[in-house]
Amino acid sequence: MTLPTTIRRVLPQLVALFVILALNTAIAPGFLDIAFANGRFYGSLIDILNRGAPVALLAVGMTLVIATKGIDLSVGAVMAIAGAVAAALITSDHSLAATILATLGVGIVCGLWNGALVAFLGIQPIIATLILMVAGRGIAQLITEGVILTFNDPGLVFVGTGAVFGIPFPVILWVAIGIAASVLFRTTALGLLVEAIGINRRASSLAGIGTSALLLAVYAASGLCAAVAGIVAAGDIRGADANNAGLWLELDAILAVVVGGNSLMGGRFSIAGSLIGAMIIQSVNTGILLAGFPPEFNLVIKAAIIVVILVVQSPASQTLFAFMKSRPRSEEDAAAPVREPEKEAAR
Amino acid sequence: MRAEDGSLAPAAGRFVSGRVMIGSEMLLRAEGISKQFLGVTALSNVDFDLAAGEVHALVGENGAGKSTLIKILTGAYRRDGGRIVLAGKPIDPSDVMDAQELGIGTVYQEVNLLPNLTVAENLFLGREPKRFGLTNRSEANRRSREILGQYGLDIDVTSLLATYSVAVRQIVAIARAVDLSGKVLILDEPTASLDAAEVSRLFSILDGLKQRGLGIVFITHFFDQVYRIADRVTILRNGHKVATRPIEGLKRIELVSLMLGRELQEQEAHVAEPVDRSQKPVVASFKALSKNGQIAPFDLEMRAGEVVGVAGLLGSGRTETAELMFGIHQPDHGTIEVDGKPVTFASPRDAIAHGFGFCPEDRKLDGIVEDLSVRENIVLALQARRGWAKPLPRKEQEAIADRYIEALDIRTSDREKPIKFLSGGNQQKVILARWLATDPRLLILDEPTRGIDVGAHAEIIRLIGELRQRGMSLLVISSELEEIVAYATRVRVLADRRHTGELPAGEISADAIMRAIASAEDETSGGGAGEGRAAEILREGTA
Amino acid sequence: MKNLKTLAGAVALSALMAGSAAAADMTVGFSQIGSESGWRAAETTLTKQQAEQRGIDLKFADAQQKQENQIKAIRSFIAQGVDAILLAPVVATGWDQVLEEAKDAEIPVVLLDRQVDSSDDLYLTAVGSDLEHEGEVAGDWLVKEVGDKDCNVVELQGTTGSSPAIKRKAGFEKAISGHDNVKIVRSQTGDFTRTKGKEVMESFLKAENGGQDICALYAHNDDMAVGAIQAIKEAGLKPGSDILVVSIDAVPDIFLAMENGEANATVELTPNMAGPAFDALEAYKSDGTEPPKFIQTESKLYTQSDNPKAIYEEKKNQGY
């Protein structure tokens, strides 16, 4: 057990990811092949990284929201809005920079709306974000006038389908945003303050933490991530599909956070864990597609695999593992100086 | 709540009639109980017995093994060694339900009922009376009223449990446990969140149960209560049984030294020396501060190097005063001045920016951030004040944490241990450390010694004195009058959401404070009930 | 914009109700489901166009996806004494009573593109396409196109369990049965969306030797085909020649792809349901000709040789 803490934290997720990838390799012989063609790497592994981008992006923001004991159901709808805004602006001859800035701004505004409902009006996050989840798709449809708004702007298409040094641009985006968010929250005190709010908002407020401002900030961050995901999804198909863009992805994002070992009860969080969670989900999706089972089995297989992962991660199983591990180590523990013999009894 | 309390008869004192002779036939006998957690000994070869019709107190500092012992008796933990005999038969409860069926019921400090169900539903949860295979609500309600009637409780059993006070919930929990189990009742710190009148009511209920032949195990931190209700007492220390003694003839100082394993300094003798206030600079002054329905207008001038004790009954406006001073609630009227300049506090953040600190009364709800480590809990307020962009370097955090763990003697195996695993007293010291780390000029402590063990209690009182001598300004709210006498340089007396008077340094004694409260209560509530409550406090304070 | 149209429709309707009905040969009420898809928007546009061309006074009511709104609209049409009613029913059940009211008032009702679970003497006729036939047309085209060559087909199904997915699959399989050189090697759902169409096509390409082993793609709708075409291009293959692409619906964007040589054929689910409906109504009104109970619209096949650019321009303005 000499691994650094950060790696040890996501070890169960890495193991799960490895097992799924191994299963995929067994099912699809060429699964691990990576070729270089048309200026980009090409292969199923790359597909997983690339197709998982929207959920990974959403999961970054969702992790932060969930760390505050909240939840953001609106991210799928915000993706649709962002895609619609981007497509509408670029097709009415705005510059790429203006389009992207405005779209990201819209995402932040959506997040601030959610955050204000939660922080100032005290509405439960699940209800507060449900409002935009329901209304958001309608707003997106109003913007696109009910059609798939197609565009051919090379810049916007690049966001969804381009590649830098052979790596698909969406992959670079989610990795970069994931690292940036981790660095921002771990090198500053934001991580600690967000965790404190998630564990005990009242006590945090009494300790002088600006809880309302921080809640606004994390929901805005979630909206921003959703807007980036929305641009990626629209760029990918060169069009804004208000009816389908991001549909049900809020649930995949929440699942990614949970599979990543984060608790819905808030508190301790790991963005890396959530990103690995997103990759686990996408590996399952891609594996199912490669396996060639009839589509009626898709959801059943996915659910079964997720259940196994969650059961392995559950507190009950963790206790069991800890118990099994503790057996040979108990002497070593007993030898360590313990000032408080009755840990378990303290309330 | 208040009307209900007011109608209660004063406590009946000691129940001599209930005493039983301890014979050879014990209701419950535990022999040689041992328990280890991951190689750490929590209980070592502990014997314990309980007679029918007896109240047996179980005392010890936090971490002594009290909770482990009762969790083994109730099947929540499996013992590693020893045997348990109930009414002559060896038992081996596999879980709490099993223990209940065998006849051992438990009521915890945080009442283990479901607040969003009705009282009747709680009483009959899992064993609802049936008619035609469906729950028979009216039957359940009727029987609930009948059962609670035996405890002198006449409430609407169809209301949600959440609508009742902790005291009522506790009685419901006891009623359920007795109805379910009927032989042994285990009470884990039942009085921690009750006021004096509620405690008396609880004790008269326990007396009734004693008469009915139940054996009662009673865990508490309060010596007064041990002397009032218990027949015998068993003292645990560091997982070992120190002694079991009949209460009669046991001297208080003897009990304390058995618990601590050392002689406790006589803290009562330590009355704070008078301070010449006029020599000290004013830190903050609060003028005509008020909030409708919370607290009537009050003036308060806080100077460096003084400890203002705040005394009054529960609900007299003590906490409300602190909340206005710290910006938790905003006053309707009045002004706050810090260093002579007017300020407004929109939130605690603003108060902290001016060097204020506040240890709340409800440690668990408002104080600790349970999953964070001791280190993180200690640096939290300091970090919040610096802002998110200026993180304290990890090394500095560790240094701060280590300094306070050492200085306040916080008992933790590791500064990275989540605070939730610490005992109540140590959690309280961590919250104190959190504020000391911000180097506050004005520190407000709301019931800083509630529910913590004797050792930590004495240390916190000593610390308050030290902080004052270092020039800090402190406002300390407490229900324990001796405690106030030990540290206060003046005492504010509150009654009925009003600041009714102040005792200057020379006049502070437990007696004087009680008289002040009693007369204030009489004035404000017009006699009767107030007198009863004041008398109650009197008894509590001087027992 | 859509809402403005609806509003305009509602205003027009109320104006008519106020008694200022313009003189026309025939007044027809049209209860539309709503505007949940581009195809439905086109259906509304074409219905209005057809009515205008024929001098029919059309009263339009948008039901916003609610049956109760449709029932209200029909009752209001009856009260106004229209000559006929067009109904695109949002659900299949619950129409008996209001249809009987129309029958009692001797107003013929024509169902558009969806069926109802009511006795067929309660309505004059139903106009719609045959989903299975559409699949068959697509299959027939592919069989003819490849001739005797072996052809491995990958199939992008619609939403699992939906009736278009089931029927379009069955029709296609019927068309290729008996042609052993054409076989479906992979079939997976793309949920009728571009995104899923693209993602699933990517996995097909990986699973079938980088797409070298795929001869043709059959997609249950054009949107999935548009997504898949992008996946094929990104894999370095040429859609339309390396992999043949045939799909169903004939939405404008697929004509752009055909113009660029990236798609080969599409089968039209015509949004012009009103044309045949008006034909039947006019015949019925003039000499009492009873139409058949189901009028099947043409499932027209479009290929690259049908001047896709021109069709795109035409369809673009139909509200897709």
PDB file of all heavy atoms in Angstrom, chain A residues 196-213:
ATOM      1  N   ALA A 196     -16.921  21.032   2.572  1.00  0.00           N
ATOM      2  CA  ALA A 196     -17.513  21.418   3.857  1.00  0.00           C
ATOM      3  C   ALA A 196     -18.991  21.755   3.691  1.00  0.00           C
ATOM      4  O   ALA A 196     -19.832  21.332   4.483  1.00  0.00           O
ATOM      5  CB  ALA A 196     -16.760  22.601   4.452  1.00  0.00           C
ATOM      6  N   ILE A 197     -19.314  22.494   2.611  1.00  0.00           N
ATOM      7  CA  ILE A 197     -20.712  22.846   2.365  1.00  0.00           C
ATOM      8  C   ILE A 197     -21.551  21.590   2.166  1.00  0.00           C
ATOM      9  O   ILE A 197     -22.660  21.465   2.679  1.00  0.00           O
ATOM     10  CB  ILE A 197     -20.833  23.746   1.123  1.00  0.00           C
ATOM     11  CG1 ILE A 197     -20.220  25.110   1.404  1.00  0.00           C
ATOM     12  CG2 ILE A 197     -22.292  23.906   0.709  1.00  0.00           C
ATOM     13  CD1 ILE A 197     -20.225  26.019   0.199  1.00  0.00           C
ATOM     14  N   GLY A 198     -20.997  20.643   1.414  1.00  0.00           N
ATOM     15  CA  GLY A 198     -21.750  19.422   1.126  1.00  0.00           C
ATOM     16  C   GLY A 198     -22.001  18.593   2.369  1.00  0.00           C
ATOM     17  O   GLY A 198     -23.030  17.945   2.502  1.00  0.00           O
ATOM     18  N   ILE A 199     -21.053  18.614   3.282  1.00  0.00           N
ATOM     19  CA  ILE A 199     -21.202  17.783   4.480  1.00  0.00           C
ATOM     20  C   ILE A 199     -22.104  18.477   5.496  1.00  0.00           C
ATOM     21  O   ILE A 199     -22.977  17.853   6.094  1.00  0.00           O
ATOM     22  CB  ILE A 199     -19.828  17.490   5.108  1.00  0.00           C
ATOM     23  CG1 ILE A 199     -18.968  16.700   4.127  1.00  0.00           C
ATOM     24  CG2 ILE A 199     -19.993  16.694   6.400  1.00  0.00           C
ATOM     25  CD1 ILE A 199     -17.502  16.699   4.474  1.00  0.00           C
ATOM     26  N   ASN A 200     -21.902  19.770   5.706  1.00  0.00           N
ATOM     27  CA  ASN A 200     -22.713  20.475   6.699  1.00  0.00           C
ATOM     28  C   ASN A 200     -22.785  21.950   6.322  1.00  0.00           C
ATOM     29  O   ASN A 200     -21.907  22.736   6.654  1.00  0.00           O
ATOM     30  CB  ASN A 200     -22.114  20.308   8.098  1.00  0.00           C
ATOM     31  CG  ASN A 200     -23.044  20.803   9.190  1.00  0.00           C
ATOM     32  OD1 ASN A 200     -23.934  21.620   8.933  1.00  0.00           O
ATOM     33  ND2 ASN A 200     -22.850  20.314  10.397  1.00  0.00           N
ATOM     34  N   ARG A 201     -23.859  22.299   5.595  1.00  0.00           N
ATOM     35  CA  ARG A 201     -23.963  23.655   5.062  1.00  0.00           C
ATOM     36  C   ARG A 201     -24.093  24.682   6.172  1.00  0.00           C
ATOM     37  O   ARG A 201     -23.503  25.747   6.130  1.00  0.00           O
ATOM     38  CB  ARG A 201     -25.165  23.735   4.117  1.00  0.00           C
ATOM     39  CG  ARG A 201     -25.287  25.071   3.420  1.00  0.00           C
ATOM     40  CD  ARG A 201     -26.255  24.959   2.266  1.00  0.00           C
ATOM     41  NE  ARG A 201     -26.825  26.249   1.920  1.00  0.00           N
ATOM     42  CZ  ARG A 201     -27.887  26.387   1.143  1.00  0.00           C
ATOM     43  NH1 ARG A 201     -28.471  25.316   0.638  1.00  0.00           N
ATOM     44  NH2 ARG A 201     -28.358  27.575   0.860  1.00  0.00           N
ATOM     45  N   ARG A 202     -24.864  24.349   7.209  1.00  0.00           N
ATOM     46  CA  ARG A 202     -25.059  25.282   8.325  1.00  0.00           C
ATOM     47  C   ARG A 202     -23.749  25.564   9.039  1.00  0.00           C
ATOM     48  O   ARG A 202     -23.389  26.715   9.268  1.00  0.00           O
ATOM     49  CB  ARG A 202     -26.055  24.683   9.321  1.00  0.00           C
ATOM     50  CG  ARG A 202     -27.442  25.227   9.203  1.00  0.00           C
ATOM     51  CD  ARG A 202     -28.311  24.617  10.278  1.00  0.00           C
ATOM     52  NE  ARG A 202     -28.062  25.235  11.573  1.00  0.00           N
ATOM     53  CZ  ARG A 202     -28.690  26.325  11.995  1.00  0.00           C
ATOM     54  NH1 ARG A 202     -29.588  26.890  11.226  1.00  0.00           N
ATOM     55  NH2 ARG A 202     -28.430  26.851  13.169  1.00  0.00           N
ATOM     56  N   ALA A 203     -23.039  24.484   9.370  1.00  0.00           N
ATOM     57  CA  ALA A 203     -21.778  24.658  10.088  1.00  0.00           C
ATOM     58  C   ALA A 203     -20.782  25.430   9.225  1.00  0.00           C
ATOM     59  O   ALA A 203     -20.030  26.269   9.724  1.00  0.00           O
ATOM     60  CB  ALA A 203     -21.205  23.306  10.479  1.00  0.00           C
ATOM     61  N   SER A 204     -20.797  25.180   7.923  1.00  0.00           N
ATOM     62  CA  SER A 204     -19.885  25.876   7.025  1.00  0.00           C
ATOM     63  C   SER A 204     -20.180  27.361   7.023  1.00  0.00           C
ATOM     64  O   SER A 204     -19.278  28.199   7.060  1.00  0.00           O
ATOM     65  CB  SER A 204     -20.024  25.336   5.605  1.00  0.00           C
ATOM     66  OG  SER A 204     -19.792  23.962   5.578  1.00  0.00           O
ATOM     67  N   SER A 205     -21.467  27.678   6.965  1.00  0.00           N
ATOM     68  CA  SER A 205     -21.864  29.072   6.961  1.00  0.00           C
ATOM     69  C   SER A 205     -21.434  29.749   8.269  1.00  0.00           C
ATOM     70  O   SER A 205     -20.921  30.869   8.265  1.00  0.00           O
ATOM     71  CB  SER A 205     -23.381  29.146   6.774  1.00  0.00           C
ATOM     72  OG  SER A 205     -23.819  30.448   6.872  1.00  0.00           O
ATOM     73  N   LEU A 206     -21.600  29.039   9.383  1.00  0.00           N
ATOM     74  CA  LEU A 206     -21.204  29.598  10.684  1.00  0.00           C
ATOM     75  C   LEU A 206     -19.689  29.742  10.794  1.00  0.00           C
ATOM     76  O   LEU A 206     -19.194  30.563  11.546  1.00  0.00           O
ATOM     77  CB  LEU A 206     -21.707  28.700  11.823  1.00  0.00           C
ATOM     78  CG  LEU A 206     -23.199  28.772  12.084  1.00  0.00           C
ATOM     79  CD1 LEU A 206     -23.590  27.821  13.197  1.00  0.00           C
ATOM     80  CD2 LEU A 206     -23.613  30.182  12.445  1.00  0.00           C
ATOM     81  N   ALA A 207     -18.948  28.937  10.020  1.00  0.00           N
ATOM     82  CA  ALA A 207     -17.491  29.045  10.057  1.00  0.00           C
ATOM     83  C   ALA A 207     -17.015  30.156   9.122  1.00  0.00           C
ATOM     84  O   ALA A 207     -15.827  30.351   8.960  1.00  0.00           O
ATOM     85  CB  ALA A 207     -16.849  27.717   9.685  1.00  0.00           C
ATOM     86  N   GLY A 208     -17.961  30.845   8.485  1.00  0.00           N
ATOM     87  CA  GLY A 208     -17.582  32.000   7.681  1.00  0.00           C
ATOM     88  C   GLY A 208     -17.415  31.709   6.204  1.00  0.00           C
ATOM     89  O   GLY A 208     -16.932  32.549   5.460  1.00  0.00           O
ATOM     90  N   ILE A 209     -17.823  30.509   5.773  1.00  0.00           N
ATOM     91  CA  ILE A 209     -17.728  30.209   4.344  1.00  0.00           C
ATOM     92  C   ILE A 209     -18.892  30.895   3.628  1.00  0.00           C
ATOM     93  O   ILE A 209     -20.029  30.845   4.091  1.00  0.00           O
ATOM     94  CB  ILE A 209     -17.779  28.685   4.101  1.00  0.00           C
ATOM     95  CG1 ILE A 209     -16.588  28.015   4.789  1.00  0.00           C
ATOM     96  CG2 ILE A 209     -17.783  28.372   2.616  1.00  0.00           C
ATOM     97  CD1 ILE A 209     -16.629  26.510   4.746  1.00  0.00           C
ATOM     98  N   GLY A 210     -18.605  31.550   2.507  1.00  0.00           N
ATOM     99  CA  GLY A 210     -19.660  32.189   1.717  1.00  0.00           C
ATOM    100  C   GLY A 210     -20.419  31.136   0.944  1.00  0.00           C
ATOM    101  O   GLY A 210     -20.184  30.914  -0.236  1.00  0.00           O
ATOM    102  N   THR A 211     -21.352  30.466   1.627  1.00  0.00           N
ATOM    103  CA  THR A 211     -21.989  29.291   1.023  1.00  0.00           C
ATOM    104  C   THR A 211     -22.803  29.640  -0.212  1.00  0.00           C
ATOM    105  O   THR A 211     -22.772  28.917  -1.198  1.00  0.00           O
ATOM    106  CB  THR A 211     -22.892  28.571   2.046  1.00  0.00           C
ATOM    107  OG1 THR A 211     -23.732  29.542   2.660  1.00  0.00           O
ATOM    108  CG2 THR A 211     -22.075  27.903   3.125  1.00  0.00           C
ATOM    109  N   SER A 212     -23.513  30.773  -0.176  1.00  0.00           N
ATOM    110  CA  SER A 212     -24.359  31.108  -1.322  1.00  0.00           C
ATOM    111  C   SER A 212     -23.515  31.349  -2.566  1.00  0.00           C
ATOM    112  O   SER A 212     -23.821  30.836  -3.652  1.00  0.00           O
ATOM    113  CB  SER A 212     -25.191  32.350  -1.024  1.00  0.00           C
ATOM    114  OG  SER A 212     -26.009  32.113   0.088  1.00  0.00           O
ATOM    115  N   ALA A 213     -22.440  32.109  -2.407  1.00  0.00           N
ATOM    116  CA  ALA A 213     -21.592  32.401  -3.555  1.00  0.00           C
ATOM    117  C   ALA A 213     -20.983  31.128  -4.117  1.00  0.00           C
ATOM    118  O   ALA A 213     -20.927  30.929  -5.339  1.00  0.00           O
ATOM    119  CB  ALA A 213     -20.488  33.380  -3.151  1.00  0.00           C
TER     120      ALA A 213
END
